[in-house]
Amino acid sequence: QVQLMESGGALVQPGGSLRLSCEVSGNSYHDYAVAWFRQAPGREREGVVCMGSTDGPTYYADFVLGRFTLSMDNSKNMVYLQMNNLTPEDPAVYYCVLDGFSRNGYDWDDADQYDHWGQGTQVTVSS
């Protein structure tokens, strides 16, 4: 059974940086997609970034392009989200998600397509 455990959420000032971590366990899929989603109060979940397959491209939402970076350390079963230049529009609960099918540029940000979700980590941006 796939389990995802996020950490690293915190309070940060506008313009600051934060790195979220996601520990992945129980993943036996040959090919899979891994992504970060977020959900702010009163808003729908939205896709932030997705690595569409184990050797595929990475897709970014327009609102984080150039500021956020997804990376993986397969030797440690870790997924990271480096967030730079955080703005007051970025506060949300951030979720690490994984699915046993690859994703493409058309469906990577459809939350309903992902079977495995972490519990989320809170990111707050405030001065």
Side-chain angles (χ1 to χ4, degrees), residues 5 7 21-24 71-80:
M5 180 68 71
S7 62
S21 300
C22 174
E23 181 177 0
V24 182
S71 63
M72 295 180 65
D73 185 338
N74 290 321
S75 66
K76 298 179 180 179
N77 294 321
M78 297 294 294
V79 181
Y80 303 102

Side-chain angles (χ1 to χ4, degrees), residues 49-96:
V49 58
C50 171
M51 184 174 291
S53 64
T54 52
D55 61 355
T58 302
Y59 306 101
Y60 288 90
D62 288 344
F63 53 80
V64 302
L65 196 61
R67 300 189 299 126
F68 292 10
T69 303
L70 182 152
S71 63
M72 295 180 65
D73 185 338
N74 290 321
S75 66
K76 298 179 180 179
N77 294 321
M78 297 294 294
V79 181
Y80 303 102
L81 180 65
Q82 178 66 42
M83 305 186 294
N84 298 327
N85 193 21
L86 286 159
T87 76
E89 285 69 48
D90 293 319
V93 177
Y94 283 72
Y95 297 93
C96 178

Side-chain angles (χ1 to χ4, degrees), residues 3-50:
Q3 292 188 329
L4 307 166
M5 180 68 71
E6 305 96 334
S7 62
L11 169 64
V12 63
Q13 292 185 344
S17 297
L18 203 60
R19 189 177 82 158
L20 305 182
S21 300
C22 174
E23 181 177 0
V24 182
S25 60
N27 180 22
S28 61
Y29 293 118
H30 175 69
D31 194 14
Y32 56 90
V34 63
W36 289 91
F37 278 70
R38 71 185 187 184
Q39 187 168 24
R43 299 186 65 174
E44 298 286 325
R45 287 177 299 181
E46 58 184 358
V48 176
V49 58
C50 171

Side-chain angles (χ1 to χ4, degrees), residues 99-120:
D99 193 74
F101 293 93
S102 61
R103 295 281 169 257
N104 58 39
Y106 297 100
D107 68 358
W108 73 266
D109 57 351
D110 182 354
D112 292 336
Q113 299 294 325
Y114 293 85
D115 287 337
H116 307 286
W117 291 71
Q119 86 290 346

